[in-house]
Amino acid sequence: MIICKVIGNVWATRKEETLSGEKLMVVQRMDLDEKVSEEIFVAVDCVGAGIGEQVLVTTGSSARMALRNQDAPVDASIVGIIDEVQAQAGE
Amino acid sequence: MIICKVIGNVWATRKEETLSGEKLMVVQRMDLDEKVSEEIFVAVDCVGAGIGEQVLVTTGSSARMALRNQDAPVDASIVGIIDEVQAQAGE
Amino acid sequence: MIICKVIGNVWATRKEETLSGEKLMVVQRMDLDEKVSEEIFVAVDCVGAGIGEQVLVTTGSSARMALRNQDAPVDASIVGIIDEVQAQAGE
Amino acid sequence: MIICKVIGNVWATRKEETLSGEKLMVVQRMDLDEKVSEEIFVAVDCVGAGIGEQVLVTTGSSARMALRNQDAPVDASIVGIIDEVQAQAGE
Amino acid sequence: MIICKVIGNVWATRKEETLSGEKLMVVQRMDLDEKVSEEIFVAVDCVGAGIGEQVLVTTGSSARMALRNQDAPVDASIVGIIDEVQAQAGE
């Protein structure tokens, strides 16, 4: 899983039926210094995350395991809201 | 999922049977400033997307969930047409 | 899927049984200007592709969907021979 | 699999139910000179790893094979504690 | 699949049970000029590969198809020993 910051929302009226009702959030990967990477992506929120929160994002086919409808075409899900990261990066 | 811009079409007469009838579109990943990345790839259109539109693209095995024929050898699908992205990138 | 150029063949006498009889081709990813990337990889040819041709390559577990034996350990397949790419890259 | 160093822990009270009870550790990829990459990610510990240890991390859907609950939305697992790496990098 | 050079072994006494008895080898990706990339990873040997040999490595969930125990948490397998690569890189 990767540590991300939730930075916004995406709206798409016309979409795959199985995505209906899912909250699509824009996330950015973070490193230990809370610096974010430039690349953004979109993840389905499965835990009630809010803008600005640090979250745990699962990618790939495993992301579907967190959905109500596991047949939805989803490759990234927010699966946890991070309380604390306690880590020291090596060199 | 990633945010992409649809920039064109691909034609392939000789292809896997299970891909017959699928619309193959060329897409480019975008960031929040609507700047596109250099890498392009090809996604199956599942929502009636048009050239120039911003779309949501699912990659990997989850891309197959959006197809009529889920046994087609597809690793990228357009699963939504984006109305609006409301997000503010962190630093 | 990604757009690649077929640039050669790989021979491996000693290999997984389920790969027997599959044609292994060396491919290079291309961009819209037909410039190729440095990284090469090996894909199973499922459509009768020839050296120099532009092809559509599916990667990941979806690549297995194009094989006669879907239990073969394959993560890249050539699934179409490209007739034409009609696209204009954004900036 | 990739060789990583365990550098910390992540706590997330609000998370997918299927993740309950799993130990979430922060890991960093290493090369042969034991230099770590900048990118960090989070893996579920399946072998009782400790901070500072060199471990073997499996990513993608295969990561779920190491879990007690294989339906958990997990894309990285610690599957071994490395005793020794005996390798000489090429040029 | 990617073309790699086998450069060593990894030992891990404490590991997932399903990995018991598997030979874990350190591999480096190669390009056509036989230059290797800096990143190393660990693959399960399924074909009796030796140090220094050029091999074909399958990654992702497809890597499990080459194992005796397809439920092992493995994301990279050596599936062939390369006799010859006959290819000419484009520009």
Side-chain angles (χ1 to χ4, degrees):
Chain A
M1 285 72 66
I2 53 176
I3 297 174
C4 291
K5 188 178 185 172
V6 181
I7 62 164
N9 292 96
V10 173
W11 284 274
T13 315
R14 219 154 104 205
K15 59 176 174 281
E16 267 299 295
E17 269 177 51
T18 47
L19 291 174
S20 284
E22 300 292 4
K23 190 165 55 149
L24 301 170
M25 303 197 92
V26 186
V27 299
Q28 261 186 316
R29 190 175 184 165
M30 299 180 76
D31 64 17
L32 280 188
D33 305 322
E34 308 205 355
K35 211 175 56 187
V36 290
S37 82
E38 269 185 52
E39 277 188 351
I40 57 160
F41 57 97
V42 177
V44 169
D45 175 29
C46 301
V47 290
I51 309 282
E53 281 186 304
Q54 269 189 50
V55 293
L56 211 50
V57 173
T58 296
T59 61
S61 65
S62 296
R64 297 207 314 268
M65 300 290 140
L67 304 174
R68 284 163 298 181
N69 181 350
Q70 299 196 356
D71 293 331
V74 166
D75 61 8
S77 297
I78 300 176
V79 299
I81 296 174
I82 294 175
D83 299 322
E84 193 185 355
V85 177
Q86 213 167 64
Q88 186 150 10
E91 289 136 43
Chain B
M1 285 72 66
I2 53 176
I3 297 173
C4 291
K5 188 178 185 173
V6 181
I7 62 163
N9 292 95
V10 172
W11 283 274
T13 314
R14 220 153 104 204
K15 59 175 175 283
E16 266 299 295
E17 268 178 52
T18 47
L19 291 175
S20 285
E22 300 292 5
K23 190 165 57 150
L24 301 170
M25 303 197 92
V26 186
V27 298
Q28 261 186 316
R29 190 175 183 165
M30 297 179 76
D31 64 17
L32 280 188
D33 305 321
E34 308 205 355
K35 213 175 54 188
V36 290
S37 82
E38 269 185 52
E39 277 188 350
I40 57 159
F41 56 98
V42 177
V44 169
D45 176 29
C46 302
V47 290
I51 308 283
E53 282 188 302
Q54 269 189 50
V55 293
L56 212 50
V57 173
T58 296
T59 59
S61 65
S62 296
R64 296 207 316 268
M65 299 290 139
L67 304 175
R68 284 164 298 180
N69 181 349
Q70 299 195 357
D71 294 331
V74 167
D75 61 9
S77 296
I78 300 175
V79 299
I81 297 175
I82 294 175
D83 299 322
E84 193 185 354
V85 178
Q86 213 167 64
Q88 186 149 10
E91 289 136 44
Chain C
M1 286 72 65
I2 52 175
I3 297 174
C4 291
K5 188 178 185 174
V6 181
I7 61 163
N9 292 95
V10 172
W11 282 274
T13 314
R14 219 153 105 204
K15 59 175 175 280
E16 266 300 296
E17 269 177 53
T18 47
L19 291 175
S20 285
E22 300 292 6
K23 189 164 57 150
L24 301 170
M25 303 197 92
V26 186
V27 299
Q28 260 186 316
R29 190 175 184 165
M30 298 180 75
D31 65 16
L32 280 188
D33 306 321
E34 308 205 355
K35 213 175 53 188
V36 290
S37 81
E38 268 185 52
E39 277 188 352
I40 57 159
F41 57 97
V42 176
V44 169
D45 175 30
C46 301
V47 290
I51 309 284
E53 282 187 303
Q54 269 190 51
V55 293
L56 212 50
V57 173
T58 296
T59 59
S61 65
S62 296
R64 296 208 314 267
M65 299 290 139
L67 304 174
R68 283 165 297 180
N69 181 350
Q70 299 196 356
D71 293 332
V74 166
D75 60 9
S77 296
I78 300 175
V79 299
I81 297 175
I82 294 175
D83 299 321
E84 194 185 352
V85 178
Q86 213 166 67
Q88 186 149 10
E91 289 137 43
Chain D
M1 285 72 66
I2 52 176
I3 297 174
C4 291
K5 188 178 185 173
V6 181
I7 62 165
N9 292 94
V10 173
W11 283 273
T13 314
R14 217 153 105 207
K15 59 175 175 281
E16 267 299 296
E17 268 177 53
T18 47
L19 291 175
S20 285
E22 300 292 5
K23 190 165 55 149
L24 301 169
M25 304 197 92
V26 186
V27 299
Q28 260 186 317
R29 189 174 183 165
M30 298 180 75
D31 65 16
L32 280 188
D33 305 322
E34 308 205 354
K35 213 174 56 187
V36 290
S37 81
E38 268 186 53
E39 278 188 351
I40 58 160
F41 56 98
V42 177
V44 170
D45 176 29
C46 302
V47 289
I51 309 283
E53 282 187 303
Q54 269 189 50
V55 293
L56 212 50
V57 173
T58 296
T59 60
S61 65
S62 296
R64 297 206 315 267
M65 299 290 139
L67 303 174
R68 283 164 299 181
N69 181 350
Q70 299 196 356
D71 293 331
V74 167
D75 61 9
S77 297
I78 300 176
V79 299
I81 296 174
I82 294 175
D83 299 321
E84 192 185 354
V85 178
Q86 213 167 65
Q88 186 149 10
E91 290 137 42
Chain E
M1 285 73 66
I2 52 175
I3 297 174
C4 291
K5 188 179 185 172
V6 181
I7 62 164
N9 293 95
V10 172
W11 283 273
T13 314
R14 218 153 105 205
K15 60 175 174 282
E16 266 299 297
E17 268 178 51
T18 47
L19 290 174
S20 283
E22 300 292 6
K23 189 164 56 149
L24 302 169
M25 304 197 91
V26 186
V27 298
Q28 260 186 317
R29 190 174 183 165
M30 298 179 76
D31 65 17
L32 280 188
D33 306 321
E34 308 205 355
K35 213 175 54 186
V36 290
S37 81
E38 269 186 51
E39 278 188 351
I40 57 159
F41 57 97
V42 176
V44 169
D45 176 29
C46 301
V47 289
I51 309 283
E53 282 187 302
Q54 270 189 50
V55 293
L56 212 50
V57 172
T58 296
T59 60
S61 65
S62 296
R64 297 207 315 267
M65 299 290 139
L67 304 174
R68 282 164 299 178
N69 182 350
Q70 299 196 356
D71 294 332
V74 166
D75 61 10
S77 296
I78 300 176
V79 298
I81 297 174
I82 294 176
D83 298 321
E84 193 185 353
V85 178
Q86 213 167 66
Q88 185 150 10
E91 289 138 44

